[in-house]
Amino acid sequence: MMLDDGFADVPAGRIAAVVTHLDMHEPARLRAEHVAGELSFHHIKRPEAAWYRQLYAYVGGHAWLWFSRLKLDDRALEDIIRDPLVEIYALRHGVADEGLLELDFREKRACELAFFGVSRKLLASGAGRFLMNRAIERAWARDIDRFHVHTCTMDHPAALEFYMRSGFVPYRRQIEIAPDPRLEGVLPMSAAPHVPVIAPQ
Ligand SMILES: CC(C)(COP(=O)(O)OP(=O)(O)OC[C@H]1O[C@@H](n2cnc3c(N)ncnc32)[C@H](O)[C@@H]1OP(=O)(O)O)[C@@H](O)C(=O)NCCC(=O)NCCS
């Protein structure tokens, strides 16, 4: 896959990102929180597919090109998000859902921070730290040995260092090459302008 000169081809119609995998093996110390009182944290039991898809696209799709969950039909999506080993949380600002946290315990004695983010409106407001502290508490409330996450270069540029400050340690990097969800009609062409669309001729 990797050529001698360090370059790898990316076919037209695809997007490429460097993915960093990180984990922690004991609960990290929670960091100080600086948030105003309008934030609240809610466990959404048996979420509706339409509600989840809307929040996922709002937090991660249009801004950061999250796409995997947008490709699933209602049944396939609800099979995951209603699994008793998957926990979905919404971060609310007033009455509006402005952040998503998904913890996946389907792997034995492990938890994946499967999706984590706040809306553009709440970036750099302290909401991310508030949500991460809740994520660490909820993950380690179950009997696990490992809490892990991956992030890629299409995500917010501060995400990787934010995860490292949160106590996750990088252990592997990969290149991901995936079909461009904008060309597949999964997301609008205007999504994530920091990742250029290279359509096949
Ligand atoms: C990754 C992400 C959650 C980081 O969030 P953020 O907006 O930078 O988070 P915050 O504003 O809470 O925190 C940044 C830091 O500023 C601090 N801060 C924020 N407001 C502050 C204030 N008023 N006073 C003092 N410190 C403050 C926080 O405490 C935090 O400090 P720490 O990291 O040293 O503990 C956010 O960028 C995001 O949701 N991105 C979009 C989705 C995404 O890319 N997700 C990751 C993909 S897997």
Side-chain angles (χ1 to χ4, degrees):
M1 159 65 173
M2 190 56 75
L3 306 179
D4 285 345
D5 61 4
F7 288 86
D9 285 331
V10 179
R14 299 201 164 221
I15 47 175
V18 177
V19 181
T20 304
H21 300 262
L22 309 95
D23 64 6
M24 63 174 77
H25 293 269
E26 57 188 40
R29 191 175 56 82
L30 303 189
R31 294 175 71 87
E33 294 174 24
H34 306 272
V35 276
E38 280 189 307
L39 287 183
S40 58
F41 179 68
H42 302 266
H43 189 180
I44 311 298
K45 295 187 176 140
R46 294 186 63 74
E48 299 287 340
W51 170 84
Y52 176 94
R53 208 179 275 119
Q54 198 277 334
L55 183 57
Y56 176 95
Y58 175 55
V59 168
H62 300 287
W64 310 108
L65 225 51
W66 295 2
F67 60 83
S68 59
R69 292 293 169 76
L70 301 177
K71 291 185 168 186
L72 303 177
D73 63 25
D74 284 6
R75 180 145 186 204
L77 180 55
E78 287 179 355
D79 279 351
I80 300 171
I81 63 181
R82 295 183 170 188
D83 188 303
L85 294 175
V86 173
E87 297 180 4
I88 309 291
Y89 296 91
L91 179 70
R92 286 198 189 127
H93 184 245
V95 293
D97 291 329
E98 297 287 346
L100 175 66
L101 164 64
E102 180 169 333
L103 297 176
D104 185 340
F105 296 90
R106 289 177 295 174
E107 184 191 337
K108 216 171 168 199
R109 299 196 64 81
C111 178
E112 180 179 10
L113 181 63
F115 293 99
F116 179 88
V118 301
S119 69
R120 280 191 183 283
K121 191 171 144 186
L122 292 189
L123 286 177
S125 69
R129 180 55 59 205
F130 172 85
L131 192 60
M132 178 55 76
N133 282 350
R134 304 294 80 75
I136 292 168
E137 287 170 348
R138 298 299 162 119
W140 291 97
R142 294 209 195 196
D143 196 15
I144 61 167
D145 301 320
R146 177 171 175 258
F147 187 25
H148 61 106
V149 65
H150 66 266
T151 182
C152 80
T153 43
M154 290 183 292
D155 288 325
H156 190 290
L160 178 54
E161 287 189 22
F162 178 90
Y163 286 145
M164 291 166 68
R165 284 199 307 282
S166 305
F168 289 99
V169 177
Y171 65 90
R172 185 178 189 191
R173 282 192 294 171
Q174 294 181 294
I175 294 173
E176 178 186 18
I177 298 176
D180 190 325
R182 296 164 296 192
L183 295 171
E184 296 184 309
V186 174
L187 281 165
M189 294 300 280
S190 57
H194 63 295
V195 183
V197 177
I198 312 283
Q201 297 294 324

